[in-house]
Amino acid sequence: ITTGENKKTKIINSEEAEIEILQNSNLKLNDITAYENIFELKNGSIKFNTKMSYVEYSVEEGIKYKIMTSLATIETFNSNFYFAYFNKSGFSFEVKFGWVSLKPINSNSLIYCAGGYIINYDPATVILIPYRKKSSIDFISAVQKFAKFPEDEEAFNFIIRNAKEYDSLTLWHLLNNSDPTRQKLIIDKLDLLLLLDLKSETKNGASFSPEAKQNLLKFIRSMVVMRE
């Protein structure tokens, strides 16, 4: 489906997912199976929406939706998001509700974005870090700066000092992109915000296994982000 300068198209499939293809966009349906629907966004912008689920704590439910671009692949079960893809020059990604994973093509890491969070990417971006739309302008600027200059101590320290409880998803992604010294600071902040004891459980970050990080992510998802 290709849209022109003054044209938008809306498609609805049998699994109650609705995709609005905005102006100057090109969306291709690659495959539909009993388990997933795969689309390819060649350029442009889409608004994606599935019927809202009230089972907020379910990790996997319904059909998996996958939207592929040349920069990243988006996967979700139940969500509402806006995705603007600027060919190879970058993208803008805003989640209204639900839980979405984004996998950059040239990386093995998964980025997680939830309702109320945004990700912006351009060629200068080194690491992808979601930030909450309601965060202060200064906090968002610090996150965007750190995404482009991960060695910037000023930006990192500003994020740590000013993060609120609902910024915990941003802190989790920082944890995955930090050395042991920074990890200790992030763990202290998460313990303070979420009333956890990660410092003791992980021996101050020394034994922070991939499984422990995933468990922390599940906690953030179920107890913090999804309830906002």
Side-chain angles (χ1 to χ4, degrees), residues 149-195:
F149 307 101
E151 302 306 317
D152 192 304
E153 289 296 330
E154 183 179 351
F156 176 83
N157 290 332
F158 185 92
I159 294 168
I160 297 300
R161 285 196 310 270
N162 294 278
K164 308 299 182 186
E165 180 185 10
Y166 288 114
D167 296 310
S168 55
L169 187 58
T170 297
L171 293 178
W172 186 88
H173 284 83
L174 284 184
L175 196 65
N176 275 352
N177 292 280
S178 296
D179 58 28
T181 300
R182 283 180 169 178
Q183 280 192 0
K184 292 177 183 178
L185 296 174
I186 298 169
I187 288 170
D188 284 344
K189 186 67 175 185
L190 286 169
D191 279 349
L192 178 65
L193 292 176
L194 305 179
L195 302 178

Side-chain angles (χ1 to χ4, degrees), residues 75-103:
E75 293 189 22
T76 187
F77 286 91
N78 245 301
S79 62
N80 178 315
F81 62 81
Y82 168 79
F83 185 83
Y85 172 52
F86 313 116
N87 295 312
K88 294 184 179 181
S89 63
F91 59 77
S92 176
F93 182 43
E94 178 179 351
V95 181
K96 300 295 185 180
F97 76 77
W99 190 255
V100 185
S101 67
L102 186 148
K103 187 180 186 303

Side-chain angles (χ1 to χ4, degrees), residues 6 18 42 103 111 118 120 170 178 189 200:
N6 299 308
E18 180 178 283
K42 293 182 175 295
K103 187 180 186 303
I111 314 302
I118 295 174
N120 284 314
T170 297
S178 296
K189 186 67 175 185
S200 299

